[in-house]
Amino acid sequence: MKLGKKVLDDFLTPQLNELHEKGLYNIIDTVEGPNGPKVQINGKTVINMSSNNYLGLADNDRLKKKAMEAINRYGVGAGAVRTINGTLPIHNELEKRIAALKHTEAAIAFQSGFNCNMGAISAVMTKKDAIISDELNHASIIDGCRLSGANILRVKHQDMDDLRRVTKEATESGPYEKVMYITDGVFSMDGDVAKLPEIVEIAEEYGLITYVDDAHGSGVMGEGAGTVKHFGLSDRIDFQIGTLSKAIGVVGGYVAGTQKLIDWLKVRARPFLFSTSMPPGDAAACIEAIDIMMESTEKVEKLWENGNYLKEGLKNLGFDIGHSETPITPCMIGDETLTQKFSRRLMEEGVYAKSITFPTVPKGTGRIRNMPTAAHTKEMLDEVLAVYEKVGKELNII
Ligand SMILES: *Cc1c(COP(=O)(O)O)cnc(C)c1O
């Protein structure tokens, strides 16, 4: 008889060895300080082009102060799940603020964006239903769809003809009770924006439930309110999902929608019912972040200004920067090994910009993904461009 320990070892050892041998085992970098526009990694300070801290709020003094006040008042943990006695006034306040930001009747906050997709989709969709899903949707959407047991119908990325075809088939001849269309608001690897006006038109023609995960659009698009607001569709998208972990700078996720939808999620979304609520310090910091965003669009404007400056600069140097419509700035390299080498050389020259390769993106489309933020200065971006020029010429990419 084999011991479980041996069975596990037989599973782990060859797989880990293979990854190490192929140089594919991801070594995790440790950031030795705040995740700001510059970071310290292995004792070296470098310009940070890889965070999702779009507005620079992750180490903002106002957020830190509110978090500390909340910790002093409520402690570090909420002590229970939301539905037992882990709901504090700041959780309710946060949900009110999210609804105000999103122009919806109500909102529900989760412990993370990932968690939110795990809970929200399966609270509404069942195996009698179908979910039409863009092929490049985020992993948490894919997992959330699977968890619901609904039939998943993948459509080509942002292909409205394919969407119309699949929708027609699913709604007219499919045996489904409900059909949902689910998409990222902003696709994080390419920076393209979901074609929501066309999507809404198709959805309204065929009676689709609409679900937009705007993790990379909130705090970025629509003067901070997100992609749905950008297109003026706040009352025509059923689920507006977002994260409190990217532009908001803290951690958490949410659904904004009608009061009825939120009432249902509060009794059926399993992570809300079975996982301890967001810590008080985090909830307080999120409220402050939303207040900062609603007071002024200054940070959002700065983010776009920096994004445009970086894109212009890289394009002028002769780099292929893809088709981003947001500050996300991919620098397309292609070959996986060359992409990794490029990223390594950038790091040696003082720029931290991670390579993104297969399987995160399709084979042969390796890229460096640059994430400019509102906290970067012109001087930092000029330095980034100078390093790109040097490394680009050295590796014969420009
Ligand atoms: C990052 C991301 C998430 C996960 O959000 P977290 O708050 O980090 O868990 C979910 N959906 C999309 C589209 C994302 O980009």
Side-chain angles (χ1 to χ4, degrees), residues 300-342:
V300 181
E301 281 161 25
K302 182 79 183 153
L303 164 68
W304 281 85
E305 189 186 310
N306 282 344
N308 291 336
Y309 187 76
L310 182 72
K311 279 182 183 166
E312 242 352 89
L314 286 174
K315 209 158 74 188
N316 288 341
L317 287 171
F319 285 103
D320 172 4
I321 58 164
H323 308 285
S324 174
E325 300 167 81
T326 61
I328 295 172
T329 306
C331 183
M332 310 304 288
I333 308 287
D335 179 73
E336 280 72 23
T337 318
L338 185 59
T339 309
Q340 274 156 7
K341 189 167 177 192
F342 196 97

Side-chain angles (χ1 to χ4, degrees), residues 143-211:
D143 289 5
C145 290
R146 285 184 186 147
L147 196 59
S148 75
N151 299 276
I152 300 164
L153 312 172
R154 266 166 45 123
V155 285
K156 289 194 196 115
H157 180 53
Q158 296 261 48
D159 183 332
M160 293 301 117
D161 293 335
D162 200 35
L163 174 59
R164 185 174 280 278
R165 182 184 62 77
V166 173
T167 300
K168 197 169 182 330
E169 216 172 275
T171 52
E172 289 178 355
S173 45
Y176 312 116
E177 280 184 1
K178 305 190 279 306
V179 184
M180 173 186 270
Y181 179 61
I182 190 161
T183 182
D184 279 30
V186 170
F187 289 86
S188 63
M189 295 303 154
D190 296 281
D192 54 332
V193 177
K195 298 172 181 165
L196 294 184
E198 289 169 71
I199 289 165
V200 163
E201 224 173 84
I202 297 171
E204 289 178 354
E205 191 178 332
Y206 293 95
L208 298 180
I209 299 169
T210 46
Y211 187 113

Side-chain angles (χ1 to χ4, degrees), residues 112-114 117 138 140 184 213 215-216 243 245-246 252:
S112 77
F114 200 106
N117 281 329
H138 189 261
S140 62
D184 279 30
D213 179 348
H216 282 273
T243 169
S245 337
K246 287 169 181 153

Side-chain angles (χ1 to χ4, degrees), residues 182-361:
I182 190 161
T183 182
D184 279 30
V186 170
F187 289 86
S188 63
M189 295 303 154
D190 296 281
D192 54 332
V193 177
K195 298 172 181 165
L196 294 184
E198 289 169 71
I199 289 165
V200 163
E201 224 173 84
I202 297 171
E204 289 178 354
E205 191 178 332
Y206 293 95
L208 298 180
I209 299 169
T210 46
Y211 187 113
V212 177
D213 179 348
D214 207 23
H216 282 273
S218 295
V220 178
M221 300 287 293
E223 296 185 323
T227 309
V228 173
K229 176 71 181 10
H230 167 80
F231 288 114
L233 296 170
S234 302
D235 53 353
R236 291 165 76 188
I237 295 290
D238 299 309
F239 289 74
Q240 286 195 60
I241 311 306
T243 169
L244 301 164
S245 337
K246 287 169 181 153
I248 299 291
V250 192
V251 73
Y254 57 84
V255 182
T258 61
Q259 186 66 53
K260 217 180 251 180
L261 171 64
I262 303 308
D263 285 350
W264 179 250
L265 293 178
K266 286 192 168 178
V267 293
R268 282 293 181 278
R270 291 166 70 84
F272 190 84
L273 275 75
F274 297 103
S275 181
T276 299
S277 50
M278 181 190 273
D282 293 348
C286 288
I287 293 172
E288 191 67 4
I290 295 175
D291 283 352
I292 290 175
M293 279 169 48
M294 291 179 74
E295 273 164 29
S296 150
T297 54
E298 190 189 318
K299 287 181 192 297
V300 181
E301 281 161 25
K302 182 79 183 153
L303 164 68
W304 281 85
E305 189 186 310
N306 282 344
N308 291 336
Y309 187 76
L310 182 72
K311 279 182 183 166
E312 242 352 89
L314 286 174
K315 209 158 74 188
N316 288 341
L317 287 171
F319 285 103
D320 172 4
I321 58 164
H323 308 285
S324 174
E325 300 167 81
T326 61
I328 295 172
T329 306
C331 183
M332 310 304 288
I333 308 287
D335 179 73
E336 280 72 23
T337 318
L338 185 59
T339 309
Q340 274 156 7
K341 189 167 177 192
F342 196 97
S343 171
R344 222 167 29 244
R345 283 291 298 126
L346 289 176
M347 179 63 176
E348 284 163 10
E349 298 291 333
V351 175
Y352 187 82
K354 285 289 249 190
S355 59
I356 312 248
T357 54
F358 180 80
T360 308
V361 291

